[in-house]
Amino acid sequence: MPKKNVTRLDSNYMQQYDAYMERKQRKKQRLIRRLVLFSIITVIAIGSMATFHIKQRVLQAEKSEEYHHMEEKLASLEQKEKNYKEEIELLNDEEYVLEIARTNYFFSKKGELIFKIPDEEPSY
């Protein structure tokens, strides 16, 4: 392919055209820089929001698990409270207290004999 030799004219029009093309090139470079900067800022913003969202989900899962654990603990404590209230009511009954004393501490009524039977089975 033959090389074409074209001579550039140094006219006023060409100088204006060169200035126009240079301004156009600078505008294009500024646009590219702005788009790159905007893209970087957008990626950083989306990344930080995603990180924050993930951390919040993990925290919410931990709090939910802790809440269920505390609910179970509350239910068990309420059951204990109910049992203690029943025991208090029973301990206010004189017959119940006497029955406990007779069973645990071998108190007997007048004329009553108490025999202690060992818990072990005989070997014969």
Side-chain angles (χ1 to χ4, degrees):
M1 204 177 242
K3 198 173 192 184
K4 293 184 182 179
N5 290 333
V6 177
T7 307
R8 182 176 172 88
L9 295 175
D10 241 359
S11 69
N12 191 19
Y13 171 76
M14 286 306 290
Q15 288 174 356
Q16 288 175 353
Y17 181 75
D18 287 342
Y20 169 75
M21 290 305 283
E22 191 176 321
R23 282 193 308 267
K24 195 174 179 182
Q25 184 65 27
R26 277 192 257 133
K27 268 185 165 179
K28 189 175 181 181
Q29 285 179 344
R30 284 190 303 228
L31 177 65
I32 290 173
R33 286 180 188 153
R34 280 190 226 132
L35 287 175
V36 167
L37 180 63
F38 178 74
S39 299
I40 290 172
I41 290 172
T42 303
V43 166
I44 289 172
I46 290 174
S48 64
M49 284 190 279
T51 303
F52 179 75
H53 178 71
I54 290 170
K55 285 182 181 178
Q56 289 298 313
R57 287 188 67 122
V58 168
L59 182 64
Q60 193 270 339
E62 289 173 357
K63 293 297 181 184
S64 177
E65 183 179 327
E66 183 180 350
Y67 176 76
H68 291 302
H69 176 70
M70 290 296 173
E71 274 187 331
E72 291 172 1
K73 190 173 180 181
L74 175 65
S76 111
L77 289 174
E78 285 175 345
Q79 183 62 39
K80 276 185 178 180
E81 179 186 20
K82 182 181 173 187
N83 292 343
Y84 286 147
K85 284 183 179 182
E86 287 176 2
E87 190 173 344
I88 287 171
E89 285 180 24
L90 287 174
L91 288 173
N92 286 332
D93 183 20
E94 189 176 324
E95 289 295 320
Y96 180 75
V97 173
L98 287 175
E99 186 65 34
I100 290 176
R102 291 179 73 214
T103 359
N104 295 343
Y105 302 109
F106 304 111
F107 287 119
S108 62
K109 293 181 182 177
K110 196 167 190 172
E112 187 177 49
L113 293 176
I114 297 178
F115 296 99
K116 183 176 179 186
I117 301 174
D119 293 337
E120 297 177 4
E121 292 289 323
S123 59
Y124 50 89

